[in-house]
Amino acid sequence: MGIQGILAGLLVGGPAHGYQLKATLEEELGPVWMTSASQVYLTLGRMHRDGVVSSRRVRQERRPDRQLLALTASGRALALEWLFESDDPDESVVRLAVARLVVPDRFAELTDIIVEQRSAALTELRSLRRDATQGFQREAIDAEIQRVQADLRWTVAVREHAGAIVQRPRSGSRSDSSARYG
Amino acid sequence: MGDDDRLVVALAGVTRVFQTPGGPVTALKPVTLTVMRGEAVALMGPSGSGKTTLLNIVAGLDRPTAGSVTVLGTSLATATERQLTAFRGLRLGIVFQEAHLLPGLTALQNVVIARLPWGDRRTLEPRARDLLARVGLADRGNFLPARLSEGERQRVGLARALLGDPQLLLADEPTGNLDSATTEDLLGLLEELRRERTLTMVIATHDAAVAAAAGRQLRLNDGGLEATTRRGFGGSVRMRILD
């Protein structure tokens, strides 16, 4: 689901401007996660067109108006599905980062879900490995197994510290005291 | 076959409290657990969570402070030391993080020696050779442990554990010293053996990647068991598309 799931996920915490969403991602996940402004605004435009978010114009003195975005009912369903049911291993980090902010009470549950997803993937790879005898197949599967193992061990380590992680203040919270998400 | 026949491990309200100079230390809070024949169960948890204590109690290597322990129909909490020794020797296979092979004996002799109190060398040796072949070491029987790799030594330990044809195999961090590919080989071998022999396995590990090889995972935390079950997700495996 990519960036759309991430933006919808962030909006579970309450209405926000596009700029705030991008800033939050950068503050929480930077510098290894890059978010391009054009990608964020293009995606938010599509989400508005598709009825995932609604927008409300907010007037600002001496500055251009801003669009305050909020999830529609279908957008909220999509966001929760992305958080708790999607299974793209490349998105585990960002799903957990978003969950920490918007559903901290379900953060540990999400780590459990990801552990189960990665465990199931490992089981599948091990089953493939049993029959992989030709050419470079076994080495190719071993490479994938090692990646999944690394994901799994990382998620378990995060789960063990889930309590402290959700207590940690959000990044940039001191510099922007205006309520963003609920 | 009724449920009772299929019940391999049954723990009810098992606790273990160690008396230390600083006062009593609870290593296991009341644990209730059943394992059925042919199941592979992983006991997970960080160091000090109680998994080795629990495994030792199932193996009859330690006794609970309270609760009942029935393994393969034998009540271990009330058995004498002599009965426990025979129980371990005849009915269980145990694999540790290190194989603890005797350095002066060959791989074959190491497989045989633990069973000598209950068997005859002439009948044990052919079976030991078959088992060494089964774990992929047909040509290593005459090697001393020093000539074997870590993974090979662990497989000798596995052959030794299987010599009595046990119904229950207990493993404590069996892959702790192995590299990733060798770990996968050993886990694959354990799974094949489990299927071939309807072997029941309980594997204690701190490593979620090893635990994932078991059909059921149980997590111990501070001596207490947190039930975890598979939700039945299809695992998503990254397929790399070659255009």
Side-chain angles (χ1 to χ4, degrees):
Chain A
M1 202 179 293
I3 186 80
Q4 177 169 257
I6 298 168
L7 296 171
L10 285 173
L11 286 168
V12 167
H17 309 298
Y19 170 79
Q20 288 174 328
L21 297 174
K22 178 179 176 298
T24 298
L25 281 174
E26 285 174 355
E27 286 159 3
E28 287 287 318
L29 288 166
V32 292
W33 281 72
M34 304 283 281
T35 317
S36 98
S38 61
Q39 195 188 10
V40 167
Y41 290 114
L42 271 172
T43 306
L44 287 172
R46 270 202 304 274
M47 290 165 75
H48 188 253
R49 182 197 66 198
D50 296 342
V52 175
V53 295
S54 60
S55 75
R56 182 165 61 86
R57 189 181 294 271
V58 178
R59 293 200 176 280
Q60 300 193 114
E61 283 187 27
R62 292 191 295 275
R63 294 170 91 181
D65 293 351
R66 276 184 160 181
Q67 298 286 342
L68 191 66
L69 301 157
L71 285 176
T72 61
S74 70
R76 188 173 173 82
L78 179 136
L80 294 175
E81 184 188 329
W82 174 75
L83 273 170
F84 293 102
E85 289 172 41
S86 66
D87 185 13
D88 180 344
D90 293 333
E91 292 189 350
S92 300
V93 171
V94 71
R95 278 163 74 202
L96 285 165
V98 171
R100 183 183 96 84
L101 297 179
V102 302
V103 280
D105 54 325
R106 297 186 68 187
F107 180 84
E109 177 192 344
L110 181 57
T111 62
D112 284 339
I113 289 171
I114 294 172
V115 164
E116 284 160 11
Q117 289 173 335
R118 298 294 78 215
S119 297
L122 201 49
T123 302
E124 199 175 329
L125 284 165
R126 283 173 172 154
S127 150
L128 293 173
R129 188 181 193 271
R130 275 196 282 279
D131 301 321
T133 51
Q134 295 182 20
F136 200 59
Q137 285 182 356
R138 178 160 282 206
E139 287 73 17
I141 292 175
D142 278 348
E144 202 56 41
I145 283 177
Q146 291 202 25
R147 287 190 194 98
V148 177
Q149 285 181 337
D151 288 349
L152 187 52
R153 289 174 182 140
W154 173 82
T155 313
V156 168
V158 168
R159 181 174 62 192
E160 279 168 15
H161 300 105
I165 289 169
V166 296
Q167 291 294 322
R168 201 181 294 154
R170 62 182 303 146
S171 195
S173 56
R174 281 172 303 174
S175 62
D176 183 358
S177 58
S178 64
R180 284 180 191 160
Y181 310 118
Chain B
M1 186 179 279
D3 268 3
D4 284 355
D5 301 324
R6 294 186 58 236
L7 196 60
V8 173
V9 177
L11 306 185
V14 168
T15 63
R16 182 69 173 97
V17 180
F18 292 103
Q19 299 301 330
T20 72
V25 173
T26 302
L28 274 185
K29 293 170 187 166
V31 168
T32 294
L33 165 68
T34 55
V35 182
M36 307 304 278
R37 185 162 182 252
E39 258 198 300
V41 174
L43 285 178
M44 294 177 70
S47 300
S49 59
K51 52 189 191 301
T52 295
T53 303
L54 185 55
L55 205 67
N56 284 344
I57 286 173
V58 173
L61 288 164
D62 191 9
R63 289 175 192 273
T65 306
S68 73
V69 183
T70 307
V71 180
L72 295 164
T74 302
S75 174
L76 301 189
T78 53
T80 64
E81 282 304 322
R82 197 170 174 182
Q83 286 169 328
L84 287 177
T85 305
F87 172 79
R88 284 194 300 272
L90 293 170
R91 308 201 58 195
L92 289 188
I94 307 180
V95 177
F96 298 99
Q97 183 167 348
E98 297 215 13
H100 298 297
L101 303 182
L102 296 171
L105 301 184
T106 65
L108 182 72
Q109 290 166 335
N110 265 289
V111 174
V112 167
I113 192 162
R115 292 277 305 170
L116 281 178
W118 299 282
D120 176 73
R121 184 187 300 273
R122 279 166 301 184
T123 53
L124 290 173
E125 278 196 2
R127 296 200 56 235
R129 273 186 215 287
D130 288 347
L131 279 167
L132 281 174
R134 180 64 194 83
V135 300
L137 298 175
D139 57 348
R140 299 283 196 274
N142 294 324
F143 281 32
L144 291 173
R147 288 183 67 197
L148 300 171
S149 70
E150 194 79 57
E152 287 171 337
R153 284 199 287 271
Q154 196 60 315
R155 280 187 280 160
V156 173
L158 180 58
R160 180 181 58 194
L162 294 174
L163 187 62
D165 201 16
Q167 292 160 281
L168 175 63
L169 185 74
L170 304 175
D172 193 3
E173 302 282 4
T175 59
N177 290 337
L178 306 181
D179 64 50
S180 177
T182 312
T183 291
E184 289 306 317
D185 288 341
L186 189 78
L187 293 177
L189 182 59
L190 287 172
E191 175 59 13
E192 285 171 18
L193 291 164
R194 185 186 69 78
R195 289 177 188 213
E196 277 170 26
R197 298 164 179 245
T198 325
L199 192 58
T200 309
M201 294 186 189
V202 180
I203 302 171
T205 179
H206 70 281
D207 187 346
V210 173
R216 182 153 62 111
Q217 289 131 24
L218 303 167
R219 201 161 63 228
L220 275 162
N221 207 353
D222 268 344
L225 201 57
E226 300 171 358
T228 56
T229 50
R230 286 276 177 89
R231 294 175 191 223
F233 280 103
S236 87
V237 172
R238 260 176 280 216
M239 294 294 178
R240 295 171 198 284
I241 311 294
L242 298 174
D243 286 322

